[in-house]
Amino acid sequence: MLKWAFVGASNIASEWMVGAVRAAGDEVVAVVSGSAARAAGFAQQHGIAHALDQLDGLRRLELDAVYVSNTNDRHEQAVLLAAELGCHVLCEKPLALDIGAARRMVDACRDAGVVMATNHHLRHNSAHRQMRGLLRTQGLGRLVAARVSHSVHLRAKLQGWRIDNAAAGGGVVLDIAVHNADSLAFLLGEYPVEVMAMSGSSGMGRGVEDQAMSLWQFPSGLCAFTHQGFNTPHASNRLEILGDQACLEARGVLNQTPGGELVWRRADGDLSLRLDHDNLYLRGLRELHKAIAGEDSDMASGEDGLRSLAVALAVRESARSGRRVKVDYA
Ligand code: NDP
């Protein structure tokens, strides 16, 4: 049983992570917010003993783990303190706004001997797990391409810093391209070397992009197309891996909730594969427990979070410059 502090009185913490931590058999003992009132409200709503408005307050508590879900610009400070306190870390994506910060976070956790994980939840859904299994047994023949349609309608309650605050880490590229990078890396076992992208605002983003399309070149030669957006109500999401013998098409699986459909299209016809409905965040926490116990784990590590951030930063730089950009994994 781990004793957790939550840094960030955030929506994701409230909607998903308090419940997931408790379902994993752990305890949430403290919440830290930049606002004393928000910390107190969050603690009262979720029955958490300690409500703090300063990170330093964590020094007085006995903790095993820290979950970081404040705005992206503030992740680093919390992760560095957690490492200093000898706590395992689960940090939200994107880890930071630049690679240097992500590297400092990963290195601090490594030097402190604690596990650092990134909350890339999509790899824990049933479709991702089954697709990876089929890819490992060469179920598609030679891989040719991947397509990720991941354009959503950002819920009204989330239309805050994400759509108007670049300094806090807003913009759809940092928000969603990181997930696409992690999903493809989980499935394919490789990260892109080079990207080309275009981005823009369709009216929701103010000072940050709310849509981006990009092409990614992988070391194996595979090419991927990814679309990430905030302002597309009613759009379905889709993840496809295309081989020269068959393809896999997952629809409606790029969500916080489980579900969706997975079809394996082959010469002898289409096969629909059954998906389980496990909670993605709870599965992630169980994988984190395995990592802490020194066992093989499918949890995204801190290094995985650094790599997905590197891809997103390259996408943003390519869209800005109008050029192909090599991904800098530092
Ligand atoms: P929120 O906007 O809900 O919260 C982010 C921060 O904003 C909070 O930590 C809080 O700061 C502040 N805040 C919250 N409510 C208010 C308010 N009413 N007034 C002023 N400030 C407020 O963010 P999300 O939950 O959407 O995202 C948090 C992190 O989690 C991000 O890094 C995001 O990318 C990630 N995320 C990951 C998901 C996943 O599936 N892995 C899904 C959604 C988000 P304070 O800490 O000071 O209280």
Side-chain angles (χ1 to χ4, degrees), residues 3-285:
K3 289 188 175 178
W4 287 82
F6 275 33
V7 178
S10 68
N11 196 59
I12 171 104
S14 187
E15 285 188 359
W16 291 100
M17 295 308 294
V18 171
V21 161
R22 288 175 174 161
D26 295 344
E27 198 182 336
V28 185
V29 299
V31 59
V32 186
S33 166
S35 141
R38 214 164 41 244
F42 191 99
Q44 186 179 25
Q45 181 187 353
H46 294 288
I48 297 169
H50 300 279
L52 309 171
D53 63 359
Q54 299 288 332
L55 261 183
D56 262 358
L58 295 181
R59 295 178 186 280
R60 297 194 302 274
L61 303 176
E62 284 200 3
L63 298 168
D64 305 302
V66 174
Y67 168 59
V68 179
S69 73
N70 48 11
T71 47
N72 305 329
D73 55 322
R74 292 182 288 160
H75 292 174
E76 179 184 4
Q77 192 190 7
V79 171
L80 295 187
L81 179 65
E84 185 192 327
L85 298 178
C87 293
H88 302 296
V89 172
L90 174 59
C91 185
E92 273 305 341
K93 42 53 64 174
L95 290 187
L97 308 193
D98 62 81
I99 283 295
R103 173 54 65 203
R104 288 191 290 276
M105 295 154 79
V106 170
D107 288 354
C109 289
R110 185 204 55 220
D111 293 348
V114 298
V115 170
M116 178 176 172
T118 308
N119 207 14
H120 278 308
H121 65 296
L122 293 173
R123 56 165 63 204
H124 301 297
N125 75 34
S126 187
H128 279 61
R129 288 181 275 119
Q130 292 197 52
M131 289 167 93
R132 186 169 71 161
L134 287 166
L135 290 169
R136 284 182 170 173
T137 56
Q138 265 94 46
L140 307 191
R142 180 173 177 206
L143 299 187
V144 177
R147 296 193 291 226
V148 189
S149 286
H150 197 171
S151 187
V152 303
H153 184 230
L154 195 65
R155 286 183 287 154
K157 72 191 292 193
L158 299 184
Q159 290 180 26
W161 57 271
R162 270 188 184 76
I163 61 165
D164 67 4
N165 192 340
V172 76
V173 172
L174 283 182
D175 201 51
I176 298 185
V178 288
H179 278 314
N180 298 337
D182 187 69
S183 288
L184 290 178
F186 182 73
L187 297 176
L188 305 171
E190 59 178 354
Y191 286 87
V193 280
E194 214 173 8
V195 308
M196 285 182 74
M198 285 185 164
S199 69
S201 171
S202 64
M204 185 184 280
R206 297 187 299 275
V208 298
E209 79 290 342
D210 64 25
Q211 62 167 328
M213 294 191 179
S214 57
L215 297 175
W216 301 358
Q217 182 80 60
F218 285 77
S220 64
L222 180 143
C223 196
F225 160 77
T226 78
H227 176 205
Q228 32 278 309
F230 278 156
N231 196 16
T232 51
H234 316 300
S236 60
N237 64 61
R238 201 172 288 236
L239 168 58
E240 296 166 281
I241 309 292
L242 313 177
D244 65 0
Q245 305 291 319
C247 71
L248 283 166
E249 180 180 345
R251 290 189 296 260
V253 305
L254 302 174
N255 298 324
Q256 292 186 288
T257 47
E261 297 169 82
L262 176 59
V263 182
W264 188 8
R265 301 195 192 287
R266 309 180 303 188
D268 57 351
D270 292 355
L271 186 65
S272 284
L273 302 170
R274 276 171 69 95
L275 301 180
D276 68 41
H277 281 73
D278 290 0
N279 179 305
L280 312 187
Y281 298 101
L282 175 55
R283 276 198 83 103
L285 282 164

